[in-house]
Each structure stands twice: as C-alpha cells, then as structure tokens.
Amino acid sequence: MRIMVIGGGGREHTIVWALNKSDKVSKIFCAPGNAGIAELAECAPIPVNRFDELIQFACDNEVDLVVVGPDDPLADGIVDAFEAQNIPIYGPRKNAAEIEGSKIFMKDLLKKYNIPTAKYESFTDYETALTYLRQQEIPVVVKADGLAAGKGVTVAYSMEEAEEALHGMMVGKVFGESGGRVVIEECLVGQEMSILAFVDGETVRAMVPAQDHKPVFDNDKGPNTGGMGTYSPLPHIDPAIVEESIENIIKPTARAMVSEGRPFRGVLFAGLMITKDGPKTIEFNARMGDPETQVVLPRLNTDLLDIILASMNGRLDQLQIEWSDEAAVCVIAASENYPASYPKGRVITGLDAARAQGALVFHAGTALADGNIVTNGGRVLGIVGRGRDIAEARAKAYEAVSAIHFDGMHSRTDIAAKALR
C-alpha cells in the first residue's frame, strides 16, 4: 500500500517509523515532514491546512490511505474533505474532533454523561468570568476553549497569575479566537496519566499507558510546554487504576459520542489525573499524543497498519493487539528559550552516535540546510531509550542525549524519575 502521513513533528516521525515496519507498505509520503522523516518517506512541502493541495497530491501519487497526525487539520475537517473525494483517511471527522477542538464541548459532554472530570464553568464574557474566578480557591485552572498548540492551559498558583491568564486569553487574545471562550475549573491533584486508545464507534482498544512531563524545568517547574518527555509503562500506578480509567472514562466517552451522533474513529487520547477520589479527566485529544506516541508505538508488537485497516473496515473488535513488556523513555531536546521564542537553524550533531547506542531518535522540529540537519522548532528531538525496565530505558535515553549537541539545547534531567522513587 501507498500511505500518506499528514504532519511534520515527532509524533508523525514515530507513526512513519511504525508504518515503515509493515510488509504491506510499499511507499510512504509525508506532508510536510521533516529532516528525520525524510530518511523513511518522500516528503512533500505542503502545509497541513491546505486540503486541496493535499488531496491533489494524494490523487497524483495514487495514495491508498491517508493517516492524520496533528490536531488542527482534524478540527478543521480534513477527514470530511478527503472522504468527499473518496480517498480513504484515518482519523475522526470534524464533528467528532470537536472533543479536542472545544474544551467547553468536551466538558459539557462529560457532565451530561456523568463521566468523572473536574468541576468547572465556561464563559464568553470577560467580566463575568473574572467575577467567578475571584470566588475560586487557589490553585485554579484557566483554559482557552480552542486549540492553542498545547499552551492554552494555565495552572495558576496565585489569583494574580490566574487573572493575568484570563485577561491574556479573553482580552489580550494571546491565543487568538481560541481564547474568546474559556473554561475555569478546579485544580485536580495527583499523578497524571495518559491513555491513548484506538476507537471505532463503541469499540475501544486501549494502548499501554504513559506519563508526560509538561513543565519545561526539572521537578515540574516553569511554564507548560507541549511535553518535555514521557515514559511507559507506569510501574508505580496500580493496573486496577488503569482498568478503571478505561472502563469509567474512555469507553463511556466513546459511547457518548455515538449517542450524540458524532461517532469517533481514530485515536482518542485521554489525559487523566489520579486523584484521591479515583481517575478524573483533564482533557481529551482527537489524535495520538506528542510525545506519548514516541514511547507507546515502540512497544506495539501488532502491525499498526493492520489496526488502522481493521478500524476502517469495522473489524477493530475482532483484532487482538499485542504489546511488548519492554520499557521506553523519551527525553525531549529543546531549543534555547523554549517555550518562549527560540532561534532556528542551529546545526545538530551526534545523531548517528545516539542511534549507534540503540536509541530511537524521532525528529520533532528539524530541517535540512546546506547538507546539515538543523533546528526548526521549539521541541527539536525526542530521544528514546528502551530496556527491560524503566531504569535501564532511562539510562539508555540519557546516554543517547549526551551524544547529541546543538547550541542552546536543553532537556529535563528527571524524566521518568517518578517511576523509580
């Protein structure tokens, strides 16, 4: 089969890498791709939001299947656009992708179907939101309703910080129209956990759980990022908690979407908090996580293409999905100043040395320039170590990180440390 992957980050590099292992795949295209993806696929410099150009490319290159990586095109209806041209595409339609595209929609859905989540209120008027905010306990969470590249959430530890976040979203428009509506919710306390699941209507096949590290600095300090590292499995979290999350949150949400006339087909990502009252939903995403995908797909023993095809053909419920017992730890190498504005074009060295140590190196923000691989984003690389357990995988990941260099590169040094305490 000839496959086209939409996107150009670390998640998409991992998807391309996983699909490339299938003996059913004869050719992979990626739009727009990056320097790492270009080693496995033919990249086409087409932005993910130019649906007409992507459709034309798929037709011209006799693409048999399209797989969508990022959230923005899903929210904008890329699946509907390709289906209208009878081109097979894997991902949720626009009305189902709204579970990520609108936090208010997601929260209202969970409330309607009694699915565990934090207490909240939503607002479209700044003064009304500000009055409500000032009545809340600290810490409190302020969220822009729409997509904001993983940065539209502020966990405020002072009222001043909360008010500043609210003003920035609703008045300052720091996230554009995404912040025109906001959610203000209680701050859940506990261990975070991510569970991705292959979903086809009411059929849910959960993947192995992972844990992300959002704040930019060690010990969860500093501003939130798109994710500074992940690991899987989670030896410090009771498997019964994982099962409870699947049975009480993910499966009921899939059923709720069917009931609402928005059946979900694709990957549904649950961001969860394990509180003293049990697991609760922080967020849902309508696609694979980044950087969760970088530790989950390397543990997948079943052919990823077989899973996608089974889902698209209504046979996901008949497929047994196998996972490795191996552990995986991903450390993000980020650009100087990230998540604030950062430079681009800095030469990256040591990639071959890291791979020679057995690490997987997934490119998130890279490009080719004058024969060199250079930085081209805030999160530049996801460096993955694998081993018999978290300790071994973590040691291998950091050994590989030490082999890589670009000016201003920074990483957290405590990824997966929680699992070893």
Side-chain angles (χ1 to χ4, degrees), residues 356-387:
Q357 295 170 6
L360 298 170
V361 182
F362 295 119
H363 292 227
T366 65
L368 284 168
D370 301 323
N372 295 311
I373 295 177
V374 300
T375 65
N376 193 43
R379 293 185 296 166
V380 178
L381 302 167
I383 300 137
V384 180
R386 294 175 289 178

Side-chain angles (χ1 to χ4, degrees), residues 189-193 237 241 245 272-276 278-280:
V189 177
Q191 283 269 13
E192 283 196 51
M193 174 172 66
I237 293 178
I241 295 288
S245 302
L272 308 165
M273 185 71 78
I274 303 164
T275 73
K276 59 181 175 53
K280 292 189 178 183

Side-chain angles (χ1 to χ4, degrees), residues 5-17:
V5 175
I6 306 291
R11 164 186 46 229
E12 290 76 33
H13 190 180
T14 314
I15 292 169
V16 167
W17 171 84

Side-chain angles (χ1 to χ4, degrees), residues 6 8 51 63 193 211 230 255 260 274 284 294 298 315 338 414:
I6 306 291
F51 297 173
V63 168
M193 174 172 66
Q211 189 175 72
T230 42
R255 291 193 293 269
E260 293 293 309
I274 303 164
F284 272 109
Q294 288 89 311
R315 294 185 290 101
Y338 176 78
D414 63 346

Side-chain angles (χ1 to χ4, degrees), residues 3 18 23 27 31 37 57 100 118 120 125 142 184 207 219 228 230 241 319-320 324 362 394-395 419:
I3 313 287
D23 58 11
K27 175 81 174 179
I37 293 172
F57 182 90
E100 177 174 12
Y120 75 101
D125 177 71
V142 184
I184 299 173
M207 305 187 209
N219 302 313
M228 291 298 291
T230 42
I241 295 288
L319 188 69
Q320 287 297 115
S324 165
F362 295 119
R394 186 172 185 271

